[in-house]
Amino acid sequence: MTTIAILSALLDEQRGLLGELSNPHKVRRGGRDFWCGQWHGRDVVLALSKIGKVAAATTATTLIESFGAKSIVFTGVAGGVGVGVNVGDVVVASDFVQHDMDASPLFSRYEVPLYGRSRFPCDAALTAILLEAANEGLTWACGHFEDERSGYRRKVHQGLIASGDRFVSDLADAAGLVDALQQFGLNPLAVEMEGAAVAQVCHDYALPFAAVRTVSDRADSQAHVDFSEFVNQVA
Ligand code: SAH
């Protein structure tokens, strides 16, 4: 039976899944905790990458090489930077870019050297399943959570996510980052710190990858406050 890996950066993002795992057993490898078990009759391994692209890439590689993962799904939180991408919304990734990749003038800005590309696409079939699950999840959540901004209907968005080794917590910084990407035809809906690294590893191994991120903050000066409240209460 093929093993599906579900990866998150932080325990707060993973905690809800751990409780769902049958026959869980923990394996520690390369400074990471991996929980193996079954979910809905499938072999599943849950992993925590810690924060940032390097940590995410090594964890994804271990999932594939040591745990036989045949596909990887990332679930976590992100800062919303797209128009109308608000706290509580969900972003399902169509593809990823590294917003801090810049080997110009040797390579064009954002291009990952020697890959000939800046965008790493997600798997279409796995992404379609995530989209359906995200829509169902939000419909369920609408009946269970009171939103302070009453009447606000959370949305599921699909599009580009930008990853980089920086917690974006300044409106001008976020706007500059988006502007610079848009000059290269890249229009991100959200920023986070791991996804593009996992997408690159899955590209190397030709394995399906998909990612879903709930918007915890708007990558502005409130981001650290919104982020902390959100991961504790909702994610
Ligand atoms: N305060 C946390 C660190 C959070 S880093 C701690 O001490 O553990 C933020 C994490 O959430 C990263 O894993 C990143 O992928 C995601 N994230 C959420 N909002 C973000 C933002 N505005 N900018 C970058 N990453 C963000």
Coordinates of all heavy atoms in Angstrom, one line a residue, residues 59-126:
T59 N 13.3 17.4 5.6 CA 12.2 16.5 6.1 C 11.5 15.8 4.9 O 11.2 14.6 5.0 CB 11.2 17.4 6.9 OG1 12.0 18.2 7.8 CG2 10.3 16.5 7.7
A60 N 11.3 16.6 3.9 CA 10.6 15.9 2.7 C 11.5 14.8 2.1 O 11.0 13.7 1.8 CB 10.4 17.0 1.6
T61 N 12.8 15.0 2.1 CA 13.7 14.0 1.6 C 13.7 12.8 2.5 O 13.7 11.6 2.0 CB 15.2 14.6 1.5 OG1 15.1 15.8 0.7 CG2 16.1 13.6 0.8
T62 N 13.7 13.0 3.8 CA 13.6 11.8 4.7 C 12.3 11.1 4.5 O 12.3 9.8 4.6 CB 13.8 12.3 6.2 OG1 15.0 13.1 6.2 CG2 13.8 11.2 7.1
L63 N 11.2 11.8 4.3 CA 9.9 11.2 4.1 C 10.0 10.2 2.9 O 9.4 9.1 3.0 CB 8.8 12.2 3.9 CG 8.3 12.9 5.1 CD1 7.4 14.1 4.8 CD2 7.4 11.9 5.9
I64 N 10.7 10.7 1.9 CA 10.7 9.9 0.7 C 11.7 8.7 0.8 O 11.4 7.6 0.5 CB 11.1 10.8 -0.5 CG1 10.0 11.8 -0.7 CG2 11.3 9.9 -1.8 CD1 10.4 13.0 -1.6
E65 N 12.9 9.0 1.3 CA 14.0 8.0 1.3 C 13.8 7.0 2.4 O 14.2 5.8 2.3 CB 15.4 8.7 1.5 CG 15.8 9.5 0.2 CD 16.3 8.7 -0.9 OE1 16.3 7.4 -0.8 OE2 16.6 9.2 -2.0
S66 N 13.4 7.5 3.6 CA 13.3 6.5 4.7 C 11.9 6.0 5.0 O 11.8 5.0 5.7 CB 13.9 7.2 6.0 OG 15.2 7.7 5.8
F67 N 10.9 6.7 4.7 CA 9.6 6.3 5.0 C 8.7 5.9 3.8 O 7.6 5.6 3.9 CB 8.8 7.4 5.8 CG 9.4 7.6 7.2 CD1 10.5 8.5 7.3 CD2 9.0 6.9 8.3 CE1 11.1 8.7 8.6 CE2 9.6 7.1 9.5 CZ 10.6 8.0 9.7
G68 N 9.4 5.9 2.6 CA 8.7 5.4 1.4 C 7.5 6.2 1.0 O 6.6 5.7 0.3
A69 N 7.5 7.5 1.4 CA 6.3 8.3 1.0 C 6.2 8.4 -0.6 O 7.2 8.6 -1.3 CB 6.5 9.8 1.5
K70 N 5.0 8.2 -1.0 CA 4.7 8.2 -2.5 C 4.0 9.5 -2.9 O 3.8 9.7 -4.1 CB 3.9 7.0 -2.9 CG 4.7 5.7 -2.8 CD 5.8 5.5 -3.8 CE 6.6 4.2 -3.7 NZ 7.7 4.3 -2.6
S71 N 3.6 10.3 -2.0 CA 3.0 11.6 -2.2 C 3.1 12.4 -0.9 O 3.1 11.8 0.2 CB 1.6 11.5 -2.7 OG 0.8 10.9 -1.8
I72 N 3.2 13.7 -1.1 CA 3.3 14.6 0.1 C 2.2 15.7 0.0 O 2.1 16.3 -1.0 CB 4.7 15.2 0.2 CG1 5.8 14.1 0.4 CG2 4.8 16.2 1.4 CD1 7.2 14.6 0.6
V73 N 1.6 15.9 1.2 CA 0.6 17.0 1.3 C 1.1 17.8 2.4 O 1.4 17.3 3.5 CB -0.8 16.4 1.6 CG1 -1.8 17.6 2.0 CG2 -1.4 15.6 0.5
F74 N 1.2 19.1 2.2 CA 1.6 20.1 3.2 C 0.3 20.7 3.8 O -0.5 21.2 3.0 CB 2.5 21.2 2.7 CG 3.3 21.8 3.9 CD1 4.6 21.5 4.1 CD2 2.6 22.7 4.7 CE1 5.3 22.2 5.2 CE2 3.2 23.3 5.8 CZ 4.6 23.1 6.0
T75 N 0.2 20.8 5.1 CA -0.9 21.6 5.7 C -0.4 22.5 6.8 O 0.4 22.1 7.6 CB -2.0 20.6 6.2 OG1 -3.0 21.4 6.9 CG2 -1.5 19.5 7.1
G76 N -0.8 23.7 6.8 CA -0.3 24.7 7.7 C -1.0 26.0 7.6 O -2.1 26.1 7.0
V77 N -0.3 27.1 8.1 CA -0.9 28.4 8.0 C 0.1 29.3 7.1 O 1.2 28.9 6.9 CB -1.1 29.0 9.4 CG1 -2.1 28.3 10.2 CG2 0.2 29.2 10.1
A78 N -0.5 30.4 6.7 CA 0.3 31.3 5.9 C -0.2 32.8 6.0 O -1.3 33.0 6.6 CB 0.2 30.9 4.4
G79 N 0.6 33.7 5.5 CA 0.2 35.1 5.5 C -0.5 35.4 4.2 O 0.1 35.1 3.1
G80 N -1.7 36.0 4.3 CA -2.4 36.4 3.0 C -1.8 37.6 2.4 O -1.7 38.7 3.1
V81 N -1.5 37.6 1.1 CA -1.0 38.8 0.5 C -1.8 39.2 -0.8 O -1.7 40.2 -1.3 CB 0.5 38.8 0.1 CG1 1.4 38.7 1.4 CG2 0.9 37.6 -0.8
G82 N -2.6 38.2 -1.2 CA -3.4 38.5 -2.4 C -4.6 39.3 -2.0 O -5.0 39.4 -0.8
V83 N -5.2 40.1 -3.0 CA -6.4 40.9 -2.8 C -7.5 40.0 -2.3 O -7.8 39.0 -3.0 CB -6.8 41.7 -4.1 CG1 -8.0 42.4 -3.9 CG2 -5.6 42.6 -4.5
G84 N -8.1 40.3 -1.2 CA -9.3 39.5 -0.7 C -8.9 38.2 -0.1 O -9.8 37.4 0.2
V85 N -7.7 38.0 0.2 CA -7.3 36.8 0.9 C -7.2 37.1 2.4 O -6.2 37.7 2.8 CB -5.9 36.2 0.3 CG1 -5.5 34.9 1.1 CG2 -6.1 35.9 -1.2
N86 N -8.2 36.8 3.1 CA -8.3 37.3 4.5 C -8.1 36.2 5.5 O -8.1 35.0 5.2 CB -9.7 37.8 4.7 CG -10.0 39.0 3.8 OD1 -9.2 40.0 3.8 ND2 -11.1 39.0 3.1
V87 N -7.8 36.6 6.8 CA -7.6 35.7 7.9 C -8.8 34.8 8.0 O -10.0 35.2 8.0 CB -7.4 36.5 9.2 CG1 -7.3 35.5 10.4 CG2 -6.1 37.3 9.1
G88 N -8.5 33.5 8.0 CA -9.6 32.5 8.1 C -9.9 31.8 6.8 O -10.5 30.8 6.7
D89 N -9.5 32.5 5.7 CA -9.7 31.9 4.4 C -8.6 30.8 4.2 O -7.7 30.6 5.0 CB -9.4 32.9 3.3 CG -10.5 34.0 3.1 OD1 -11.5 33.8 3.8 OD2 -10.4 34.9 2.2
V90 N -8.8 30.0 3.2 CA -7.9 28.9 2.9 C -7.3 29.0 1.5 O -8.1 29.4 0.6 CB -8.7 27.5 3.0 CG1 -7.9 26.4 2.5 CG2 -9.2 27.3 4.4
V91 N -6.0 28.8 1.4 CA -5.4 28.9 0.1 C -4.9 27.5 -0.3 O -4.1 26.9 0.5 CB -4.2 29.9 0.0 CG1 -3.5 29.8 -1.3 CG2 -4.7 31.3 0.4
V92 N -5.4 26.9 -1.4 CA -4.9 25.7 -1.9 C -3.9 26.1 -3.0 O -4.2 26.9 -3.9 CB -6.0 24.8 -2.5 CG1 -5.5 23.6 -3.2 CG2 -7.0 24.4 -1.4
A93 N -2.7 25.6 -2.9 CA -1.6 26.0 -3.9 C -1.8 25.4 -5.2 O -2.1 24.2 -5.4 CB -0.2 25.6 -3.3
S94 N -1.6 26.2 -6.3 CA -1.5 25.7 -7.6 C -0.1 25.4 -7.9 O 0.3 24.5 -8.6 CB -2.2 26.6 -8.6 OG -1.6 27.9 -8.5
D95 N 0.8 26.3 -7.5 CA 2.2 26.2 -7.6 C 3.0 27.1 -6.6 O 2.3 27.8 -5.9 CB 2.7 26.5 -9.1 CG 2.1 27.8 -9.6 OD1 1.3 28.5 -8.9 OD2 2.4 28.1 -10.8
F96 N 4.3 26.9 -6.6 CA 5.1 27.7 -5.6 C 6.3 28.4 -6.3 O 6.8 27.9 -7.3 CB 5.7 26.7 -4.6 CG 4.8 26.2 -3.5 CD1 4.0 25.1 -3.7 CD2 4.6 26.9 -2.4 CE1 3.1 24.7 -2.8 CE2 3.7 26.6 -1.4 CZ 3.0 25.4 -1.6
V97 N 6.7 29.5 -5.7 CA 7.9 30.2 -6.1 C 8.7 30.6 -4.8 O 8.1 30.7 -3.7 CB 7.5 31.5 -6.9 CG1 6.7 32.5 -6.0 CG2 8.8 32.2 -7.4
Q98 N 10.0 30.7 -4.9 CA 10.8 31.1 -3.8 C 11.0 32.6 -3.9 O 11.7 33.1 -4.8 CB 12.2 30.4 -3.8 CG 12.1 28.9 -3.6 CD 13.5 28.3 -3.5 OE1 14.4 28.8 -3.0 NE2 13.5 27.1 -4.1
H99 N 10.4 33.4 -3.0 CA 10.4 34.9 -3.2 C 11.8 35.4 -2.9 O 12.1 36.6 -3.2 CB 9.3 35.6 -2.5 CG 9.4 35.5 -1.0 ND1 10.4 36.1 -0.2 CD2 8.6 34.9 -0.1 CE1 10.2 35.8 1.1 NE2 9.1 35.1 1.2
D100 N 12.7 34.6 -2.2 CA 14.0 35.1 -1.9 C 15.1 34.5 -2.8 O 16.3 34.6 -2.5 CB 14.3 34.9 -0.4 CG 14.1 33.4 0.1 OD1 13.7 32.6 -0.8 OD2 14.3 33.2 1.3
M101 N 14.7 33.8 -3.9 CA 15.7 33.3 -4.8 C 16.1 34.4 -5.8 O 15.3 34.9 -6.5 CB 15.1 32.1 -5.5 CG 15.9 31.5 -6.6 SD 17.6 31.0 -6.1 CE 17.1 29.5 -5.2
D102 N 17.4 34.7 -5.8 CA 17.9 35.7 -6.7 C 19.3 35.4 -7.1 O 20.2 35.8 -6.4 CB 17.7 37.1 -6.1 CG 18.0 38.2 -7.1 OD1 18.4 37.9 -8.2 OD2 17.9 39.4 -6.7
A103 N 19.5 34.8 -8.2 CA 20.9 34.5 -8.7 C 21.1 35.3 -10.0 O 22.0 35.0 -10.8 CB 21.0 33.0 -9.0
S104 N 20.4 36.5 -10.0 CA 20.7 37.4 -11.2 C 22.0 38.1 -11.0 O 22.4 38.3 -9.8 CB 19.5 38.5 -11.2 OG 19.5 39.2 -10.0
P105 N 22.7 38.5 -12.0 CA 22.3 38.4 -13.4 C 22.6 37.0 -14.1 O 22.4 36.9 -15.3 CB 23.1 39.5 -14.1 CG 24.4 39.5 -13.3 CD 24.0 39.2 -11.9
L106 N 23.1 36.1 -13.3 CA 23.5 34.8 -13.9 C 22.2 34.1 -14.4 O 22.2 33.4 -15.5 CB 24.2 33.9 -12.9 CG 25.5 34.4 -12.4 CD1 26.1 33.5 -11.3 CD2 26.5 34.5 -13.5
F107 N 21.2 34.2 -13.6 CA 19.9 33.6 -14.0 C 18.8 34.6 -13.8 O 19.0 35.6 -13.0 CB 19.6 32.3 -13.1 CG 20.6 31.2 -13.3 CD1 21.7 31.2 -12.5 CD2 20.4 30.2 -14.2 CE1 22.7 30.2 -12.6 CE2 21.3 29.2 -14.3 CZ 22.5 29.2 -13.6
S108 N 17.7 34.5 -14.4 CA 16.7 35.5 -14.2 C 16.1 35.4 -12.8 O 16.2 34.3 -12.1 CB 15.6 35.3 -15.3 OG 14.4 34.9 -14.8
R109 N 15.7 36.6 -12.3 CA 15.3 36.6 -10.9 C 14.2 35.6 -10.6 O 13.3 35.4 -11.5 CB 14.8 38.0 -10.5 CG 14.6 38.2 -9.1 CD 14.6 39.6 -8.6 NE 14.3 39.6 -7.2 CZ 13.9 40.6 -6.5 NH1 13.6 41.8 -7.1 NH2 13.7 40.6 -5.2
Y110 N 14.2 34.9 -9.5 CA 13.3 33.9 -9.0 C 13.5 32.5 -9.7 O 12.9 31.6 -9.2 CB 11.8 34.3 -9.2 CG 11.5 35.6 -8.5 CD1 11.1 36.7 -9.3 CD2 11.6 35.8 -7.2 CE1 10.8 38.0 -8.7 CE2 11.3 37.0 -6.5 CZ 10.9 38.1 -7.3 OH 10.7 39.3 -6.7
E111 N 14.3 32.5 -10.7 CA 14.6 31.2 -11.3 C 15.5 30.4 -10.4 O 16.5 30.9 -9.9 CB 15.2 31.4 -12.7 CG 15.5 30.0 -13.4 CD 16.1 30.2 -14.8 OE1 15.7 31.3 -15.5 OE2 16.9 29.4 -15.2
V112 N 15.1 29.1 -10.2 CA 16.0 28.3 -9.4 C 17.1 27.8 -10.3 O 16.8 27.1 -11.3 CB 15.2 27.1 -8.8 CG1 16.1 26.2 -7.9 CG2 14.0 27.6 -7.9
P113 N 18.4 28.1 -10.0 CA 19.4 27.8 -10.9 C 19.5 26.3 -11.3 O 19.3 25.5 -10.4 CB 20.7 28.2 -10.1 CG 20.2 29.3 -9.3 CD 18.8 28.9 -8.9
L114 N 19.7 26.1 -12.5 CA 19.9 24.7 -13.1 C 18.6 23.9 -13.2 O 18.6 22.8 -13.5 CB 21.0 23.9 -12.4 CG 22.3 24.7 -12.2 CD1 23.4 23.8 -11.6 CD2 22.8 25.2 -13.6
Y115 N 17.5 24.6 -12.9 CA 16.2 23.9 -13.1 C 15.4 24.6 -14.2 O 14.4 24.0 -14.7 CB 15.3 24.0 -11.8 CG 15.6 23.1 -10.7 CD1 16.8 23.3 -9.9 CD2 14.9 22.0 -10.4 CE1 17.1 22.5 -8.8 CE2 15.2 21.2 -9.3 CZ 16.3 21.4 -8.6 OH 16.6 20.6 -7.5
G116 N 15.9 25.8 -14.6 CA 15.2 26.4 -15.8 C 13.8 26.8 -15.5 O 13.0 27.0 -16.4
R117 N 13.5 27.0 -14.2 CA 12.1 27.4 -13.9 C 12.1 28.1 -12.5 O 12.9 27.9 -11.7 CB 11.2 26.2 -13.8 CG 11.7 25.2 -12.7 CD 10.7 24.1 -12.4 NE 10.4 23.2 -13.5 CZ 9.2 23.0 -14.0 NH1 8.1 23.5 -13.4 NH2 9.0 22.1 -15.0
S118 N 11.1 29.0 -12.3 CA 10.9 29.6 -11.0 C 9.6 29.0 -10.4 O 9.5 29.1 -9.1 CB 10.7 31.1 -11.2 OG 9.7 31.4 -12.2
R119 N 8.7 28.5 -11.1 CA 7.5 27.9 -10.6 C 7.6 26.4 -10.5 O 8.0 25.8 -11.4 CB 6.3 28.2 -11.5 CG 5.8 29.7 -11.5 CD 4.7 29.8 -12.7 NE 4.2 31.1 -12.8 CZ 3.0 31.5 -12.2 NH1 2.3 30.6 -11.6 NH2 2.6 32.7 -12.4
F120 N 7.2 25.9 -9.3 CA 7.1 24.4 -9.2 C 5.7 24.1 -9.0 O 5.1 24.4 -8.0 CB 8.0 24.0 -8.0 CG 9.5 24.0 -8.3 CD1 10.2 25.2 -8.3 CD2 10.1 22.9 -8.7 CE1 11.5 25.3 -8.7 CE2 11.5 22.9 -9.1 CZ 12.2 24.1 -9.0
P121 N 5.1 23.4 -10.0 CA 3.6 23.1 -9.9 C 3.2 22.0 -8.9 O 4.0 21.1 -8.7 CB 3.3 22.7 -11.3 CG 4.5 22.2 -11.9 CD 5.7 22.9 -11.2
C122 N 2.0 22.1 -8.4 CA 1.5 21.0 -7.6 C 0.8 20.0 -8.5 O 0.5 20.3 -9.6 CB 0.5 21.6 -6.6 SG 1.2 22.7 -5.4
D123 N 0.6 18.8 -7.9 CA -0.1 17.8 -8.7 C -1.6 18.1 -8.9 O -2.2 18.4 -7.9 CB 0.1 16.4 -7.9 CG -0.5 15.3 -8.7 OD1 0.0 14.9 -9.7 OD2 -1.6 14.8 -8.2
A124 N -2.0 18.0 -10.1 CA -3.4 18.4 -10.4 C -4.5 17.6 -9.6 O -5.4 18.1 -9.0 CB -3.7 18.4 -11.9
A125 N -4.3 16.2 -9.7 CA -5.3 15.3 -9.1 C -5.3 15.5 -7.6 O -6.4 15.6 -7.0 CB -4.9 13.9 -9.4
L126 N -4.1 15.5 -6.9 CA -4.1 15.7 -5.5 C -4.6 17.1 -5.0 O -5.3 17.2 -4.0 CB -2.6 15.5 -5.0 CG -2.3 15.1 -3.6 CD1 -3.1 13.8 -3.3 CD2 -0.8 14.8 -3.4

